[in-house]
Each structure stands twice: as structure tokens, then as C-alpha cells.
Amino acid sequence: MSFGRQLLSKAEPYMQAQVKKPFLQGLINGDLPIEIFQYWLRVDYPYLHNFIKVCALGILKADEPTDVAVMLRHVERVQDEMRDHEKHAEKTGMNRDDLNAHPMGPLKYSYTRHQLASAYHGSLGDVQAAILACQWGYGEAVHRLLKEKPLQKDHPYKEWFAFHSDPGHREGLEEALGLIDRQALISTSQQRNRMEAVFIISVQHETMLWDEYYNMTVWETYPPT
């Protein structure tokens, strides 16, 4: 089993937990309150901006043209995802300014700091490890949910599922796995252990974030009196 596939195998318990989360169950059942979905749109949009910055660091650290090209395609796919967010926002009464104006929740912010720090201080392998959980998680969760409960034609979130079940995302995942496998081959055992640790922390964030979305968590603020 390749290094990348080993990572996904170790993340399997987290995926099993993710698909049971109320947010994802609400999506597949079609009864997720729209205000919760809007919260996800608002906090995920700036995360995608951050994802591009992480990929930019990956481009800087890549020595091989093949790996530069992979990172560039990662950016293109994230831009597609941002446009999808904008489409959903418009349909729910929001605009691009609304997506840009909302702060990330505490855990979402923590996730972006983890990804940026891992990318800035680490190797290209660390960059890919930091974002792999996101590239794997949504598509895999959607695949499992749809296999268990196919959508009806009038499902309110059918376009969300259509985007995240697009075969193109699977192609992007395979490219990501190929990149991290190439990096693993030229890395020491200590470097591979670090990549695994970076990946698992990302998986933990991805798993716990479904609850932050569902609860629409905000920062505690105590203005001066």
C-alpha cells in the first residue's frame, strides 16, 4: 500500500464518524436548516482563500515541474469550489460581500493556521499532507452518503451533492496522493512521520468542524464597558 493510501486508511475511523454528524445527515436527508447551510458557506469561503495561499507555498517548495503543475491544478479546483459557494450564496439571498465579511469560527481559524504553519515551516510533502484531508474528505463522505441514500429529484441540496460527487474531484485526489507518494519516497522516516502527524491533525479538524458548522459556533466576545 502506498504512503498516501496508508494515510487514508489510518483516517478511516474519522470518516466513519464524519458521515454520522448531524450536519451531513441533515444534508443527505434534505432537512438541514438553511441558516446552518449559510453559516457553512460564510466560514468556508475564507478557508478556501487560505487554501490557495497554502498551495502557493507548495509551488514555491516544488522542485519538479510535475509537482508545480499539481499544485496549480489544486488552485484551479479550489477556484471552482469558490464559484460554487458564490452560486449557493446567491440562491440563499447572500452575495460575495457577505461571504467575504464573515469571520471564520474558532476551529475553522485553527485549521487554517495549522495548514499555513505546516506549509510555511515544512516540506512540499507537509504542504500536501496539510490539505489532503480536505481533498479526500468531502468527496469520500458524499460518496458514502449517496450510496446509502440516493437523492430524489426535488432534493433541496442536490446541487451541493452534484458538485462534491463530480469525478473531477477524484482525479484531484489521485494527483494529491501521487504527489505525497513521490515526496515520501525521498523522505526520511522522521519526515514521513511528520507528514502523517500533519495529515491526522487536519483530519481531526475536518471531523470536528462538522459540529462547528451545525452549531454555528462564534467567538466569545466581551466588549469593554
Side-chain angles (χ1 to χ4, degrees), residues 23-187:
F23 186 96
L24 286 174
Q25 285 297 308
L27 278 174
I28 192 64
N29 292 329
D31 58 7
L32 183 74
I34 191 62
E35 61 269 20
I36 293 180
F37 186 67
Q38 288 176 316
Y39 172 91
W40 170 78
L41 286 170
R42 290 195 300 265
V43 300
D44 200 56
Y45 195 75
Y47 165 82
L48 297 176
H49 275 289
N50 183 81
F51 196 106
I52 292 174
K53 293 180 181 180
V54 173
C55 290
L57 289 169
I59 293 169
L60 287 173
K61 292 172 184 283
D63 293 323
E64 299 297 328
T66 299
D67 295 333
V68 172
V70 169
M71 282 290 159
L72 287 171
R73 283 192 290 273
H74 287 350
V75 171
E76 291 173 0
R77 291 185 176 98
V78 171
Q79 290 175 318
D80 288 340
E81 190 165 357
M82 293 177 76
R83 285 187 284 270
D84 190 66
H85 278 53
E86 293 164 8
K87 179 187 72 175
H88 288 297
E90 184 177 356
K91 289 185 176 181
T92 61
M94 298 191 298
N95 57 38
R96 198 178 201 178
D97 289 338
D98 295 321
L99 295 179
N100 284 318
H102 197 277
M104 288 181 279
L107 189 60
K108 195 74 169 180
Y109 181 80
S110 168
Y111 191 16
T112 61
R113 299 314 94 178
H114 161 66
Q115 290 180 318
L116 274 179
S118 299
Y120 184 82
H121 295 291
S123 65
L124 176 60
D126 293 326
V127 176
Q128 183 58 75
I131 59 178
L132 181 61
C134 178
Q135 294 172 307
W136 171 64
Y138 274 68
E140 183 64 24
V142 164
H143 171 76
R144 297 185 189 199
L145 290 167
L146 290 175
K147 185 176 180 180
E148 187 175 300
K149 191 171 184 177
L151 301 182
Q152 300 297 316
K153 289 184 179 180
D154 60 347
H155 194 286
Y157 293 110
K158 64 180 181 180
E159 292 186 5
W160 187 89
F161 280 98
F163 178 83
H164 290 286
S165 61
D166 188 292
H169 298 308
R170 179 63 61 177
E171 294 174 10
L173 173 62
E174 292 301 324
E175 288 189 333
L177 291 171
L179 190 155
I180 205 167
D181 285 342
R182 290 191 295 276
Q183 291 301 302
L185 288 174
I186 60 174
S187 298

Side-chain angles (χ1 to χ4, degrees), residues 191-221:
Q191 290 169 330
R192 288 191 293 273
N193 288 341
R194 186 175 64 239
M195 283 189 276
E196 179 180 333
V198 167
F199 170 72
I200 291 298
I201 291 174
S202 288
V203 172
Q204 290 170 324
H205 275 91
E206 290 279 348
T207 305
M208 296 171 67
L209 274 165
W210 294 118
D211 293 324
E212 179 163 281
Y213 306 146
Y214 193 76
N215 296 326
M216 295 190 292
T217 305
V218 297
W219 294 86
E220 290 189 20
T221 56

